[in-house]
Amino acid sequence: MKKDTKKAENAVMENIISLSKRRGFIFQGSEVYGGLAGTWDYGPLGVILKQNVKNIWWKRFVTDREDMYGMDAAILMNQNVWKASGHVGGFSDPLVECTKCKRRFRADQLDPELRKKNECPECGGKLGAEKQFNMMFRTHVGATEDEGAVSYLRPETAQGMFVNFKNVLDTFHPKLPFGMAQIGKAFRNEIAPRDFLFRTREFEQMEIEYFVDPKNWKPVFEHFVAEMHAFIADVGLDPKKVHELEVPDGERAHYSMRTIDFEYDWPFGRKELYGLAYRTDYDLKAHAKASNVDLSYFDEEAKVRFVPHVIEPSFGVDRTVLAILADSYREDELGGEKRAYLAFSPNVAPVKVAVFPLLKNKDALTSKAREIYQVLRKEFGAVEYDEAGSIGKRYRRQDEIGTPFCVTVDFDTIEKPNNPVTVRDRDSGKQESIPLKDLVSLLSQKLNK
Ligand code: ATP
């Protein structure tokens, strides 16, 4: 990669990271103690952005469907879950350590030239032999620290659904095909966390295990390809930046017969955003064998018993948040002034509308603005009231946090017969005067409510 392109990419990432911090979206984890590599903390605006993503996902994949069962399984699970799933034996990445500076790298992510020469990218020292490094965080449950007390922070949410498959069958008696869905934390002791929220050690996943008769897996797989694109559109990502990669034989996870990686054009290159895998009956069979519990399904019509196969769409919450930030970040000039702003889709914007009185020391203006703020809050929920600083400054702040519309109350609003307010559009900076009685319907239209 050319040096200049690399520099520009870094600049984009630095701008996103600094805006995220400056405006209260995302902070470095444990910052006052110098941080903890691979962890990030969501601040007041970040947590709303993230929650909006999760709500949109839950609505599309759970609430709006009749065939999906929501779950929230424990993060700590019996160690036998991870033995049966193959994670204890095989959830590892290739690790190399520099014999001189002792830094550790993922062998498959090193520059191929340096890898060939066995040269450390940091200090030029000699790299040691490649070892397999298990990425699960190991811990002990209870007061004893013997092998029987070992547990792991889950590295994926999927297994919490497989081990509850029978519970859902026995309590809801669903007919195939049906799915289980879960949103929750996952932990991976990544060798080289990097690129802000892209590769972290603690993150959230939104996963579905969709159970099918093996005869029918193909159309279901295609259905979820389309649904994943639909979700990508729901959160406002540019579809031109999303690419399907058919993962070839030999490169797929051991359990998968077909995998499509949904890759995204990040500022640092094209890499995975989401994954869709055909996991066959690998997991249910492995858990049935290891636990001695029957995890088969009885088809009442055909009078046959079999172990269902699984299609798994898997989404990273934090990668979605980063893609939204990267996609929305813009710089331009407005009224002769440079500005940076986030062109969030209204669906995900943490604040939908901001309401300002023109001046803060005029009671007539502030009380009218507060009255309008209360009405809009009931209607749209995420609405802010702001009276501090000049109007220009208030607009800039709302632009930076991605608020689609600002409403300003001035003397015309209280003096003129139809009480006009000014509605300003974030992206164009255009302002229009609207009779107060039309405000809610106009904003509803603009916010696609
Ligand atoms: P990668 O190849 O990038 O390490 P993966 O193929 O191991 O990813 P999966 O095991 O398929 O990832 O996990 C499903 C989803 O979880 C990914 O598509 C991604 O969105 C998210 N994810 C995985 N690892 C991380 C991580 N370390 N930090 C943030 N999100 C992650």
Side-chain angles (χ1 to χ4, degrees):
M1 195 181 294
K2 280 205 183 111
K3 260 199 174 137
D4 289 353
T5 337
K6 188 103 197 134
K7 237 185 178 171
E9 286 168 4
N10 288 345
V12 173
M13 284 305 285
E14 274 167 27
N15 287 337
I16 294 170
I17 295 170
S18 106
L19 187 150
S20 295
K21 178 178 167 144
R22 188 168 70 245
R23 290 303 184 192
F25 282 91
I26 295 144
F27 309 116
Q28 190 186 5
S30 315
E31 192 178 359
V32 292
Y33 286 102
L36 178 66
T39 65
W40 296 92
D41 294 343
Y42 285 78
L45 289 176
V47 83
I48 307 174
L49 175 60
K50 180 155 93 151
Q51 196 58 49
N52 289 345
V53 166
K54 292 194 277 185
N55 290 345
I56 290 169
W57 188 89
W58 195 263
K59 180 172 178 338
R60 170 170 287 282
F61 291 108
V62 184
T63 319
D64 285 356
R65 301 179 62 122
E66 292 179 25
D67 57 351
M68 206 65 87
Y69 296 82
M71 277 293 308
D72 185 12
I75 288 173
L76 293 172
M77 300 175 86
N78 188 307
Q79 56 172 288
N80 292 327
V81 170
W82 305 110
K83 284 183 183 161
S85 69
H87 284 81
V88 171
F91 192 61
S92 47
D93 275 339
L95 171 97
V96 281
E97 189 175 281
C98 173
T99 50
K100 194 169 154 206
C101 71
K102 304 289 175 208
R103 282 198 181 87
R104 294 173 147 198
F105 306 94
R106 243 178 85 169
D108 58 336
Q109 286 179 350
L110 282 175
D111 180 296
E113 281 303 303
L114 294 178
R115 183 76 197 107
K116 233 191 259 161
K117 289 193 275 177
N118 252 349
E119 187 182 310
C120 172
E122 292 292 331
C123 75
K126 200 170 157 15
L127 295 172
E130 193 172 301
K131 291 186 279 197
Q132 285 301 315
F133 173 75
N134 193 301
M135 291 200 290
M136 283 199 295
F137 283 98
R138 210 171 123 100
T139 186
H140 291 91
V141 174
T144 49
E145 294 212 341
D146 57 26
E147 274 304 303
V150 166
S151 185
Y152 303 90
L153 300 186
R154 67 180 178 207
E156 61 176 29
T157 61
Q159 301 303 324
M161 292 183 271
F162 293 126
V163 300
N164 278 289
F165 170 74
K166 190 172 173 348
N167 284 333
V168 170
L169 265 193
D170 292 349
T171 48
F172 293 88
H173 312 289
K175 298 254 166 303
L176 286 186
F178 73 91
M180 294 169 71
Q182 171 161 246
I183 300 179
K185 289 262 182 177
F187 303 82
R188 295 182 187 179
N189 200 359
E190 297 278 358
I191 295 168
R194 60 166 73 177
D195 298 320
F196 194 26
L197 305 174
F198 178 78
R199 189 172 300 290
T200 59
R201 290 184 168 133
E202 174 175 343
F203 54 97
E204 267 185 284
Q205 292 184 316
M206 307 179 283
E207 292 195 302
I208 293 166
E209 307 307 326
Y210 198 81
F211 301 98
V212 294
D213 183 323
K215 291 197 292 286
N216 304 331
W217 77 270
K218 279 187 178 154
V220 174
F221 194 94
E222 294 309 327
H223 163 75
F224 279 109
V225 170
E227 280 297 289
M228 290 175 83
H229 283 295
F231 171 75
I232 286 165
D234 284 348
V235 295
L237 292 179
D238 179 355
K240 290 198 289 299
K241 290 188 181 162
V242 179
H243 311 271
E244 287 177 27
L245 172 81
E246 185 77 47
V247 181
D249 288 350
E251 287 179 31
R252 289 189 297 268
H254 58 281
Y255 51 74
S256 179
M257 286 265 286
R258 186 178 176 198
T259 299
I260 289 182
D261 281 352
F262 285 68
E263 296 194 313
Y264 175 78
D265 293 328
W266 306 93
F268 42 85
R270 187 174 291 183
K271 292 193 171 122
E272 178 172 333
L273 172 64
Y274 306 138
L276 175 64
Y278 171 36
R279 287 179 89 125
T280 67
D281 53 3
Y282 177 86
D283 304 87
L284 287 181
K285 273 206 170 139
H287 288 304
K289 188 163 171 233
S291 65
N292 261 328
V293 174
D294 180 10
L295 297 178
S296 62
Y297 170 87
F298 185 67
D299 185 327
E300 301 279 353
E301 272 163 41
K303 304 283 179 228
V304 281
R305 182 169 283 286
F306 60 93
V307 176
H309 281 214
V310 169
I311 308 288
E312 180 193 67
S314 181
F315 304 71
V317 177
D318 313 82
R319 281 193 194 174
T320 310
V321 170
L322 179 58
I324 291 171
L325 288 169
D327 231 43
S328 314
Y329 184 82
R330 310 261 195 285
E331 286 174 3
D332 68 358
E333 237 183 73
L334 195 66
E337 251 187 74
K338 280 202 165 139
R339 69 163 179 167
Y341 68 104
L342 291 170
F344 284 149
S345 137
N347 277 355
V348 297
V351 180
K352 314 289 183 213
V353 187
V355 183
F356 312 146
L358 181 65
L359 301 166
K360 89 167 187 191
N361 52 4
K362 291 275 180 265
D363 280 354
L365 293 180
T366 54
S367 61
K368 190 72 191 163
R370 279 210 164 269
E371 190 188 307
I372 294 172
Y373 160 66
Q374 292 300 349
V375 171
L376 297 184
R377 221 158 94 112
K378 272 214 186 95
E379 203 66 40
F380 306 112
V383 179
E384 268 194 5
Y385 173 84
D386 188 5
E387 56 180 31
S390 72
I391 278 283
K393 267 210 180 117
R394 284 181 257 167
Y395 282 150
R396 290 294 171 278
R397 176 173 173 273
Q398 295 298 335
D399 290 347
E400 271 203 318
I401 66 170
T403 306
F405 300 101
C406 294
V407 174
T408 302
V409 171
D410 59 21
F411 290 105
D412 282 356
T413 315
I414 39 182
E415 285 162 7
K416 286 207 171 151
N418 60 358
N419 313 107
V421 290
T422 304
V423 176
R424 174 183 175 277
D425 175 272
R426 172 197 62 207
D427 299 350
S428 64
K430 267 204 194 131
Q431 308 189 5
E432 51 179 328
S433 181
I434 303 290
L436 183 54
K437 66 172 177 37
D438 298 339
L439 183 62
V440 167
S441 68
L442 178 101
L443 287 174
S444 301
Q445 226 175 35
K446 287 185 186 275
L447 294 166
N448 307 321
K449 265 209 86 183

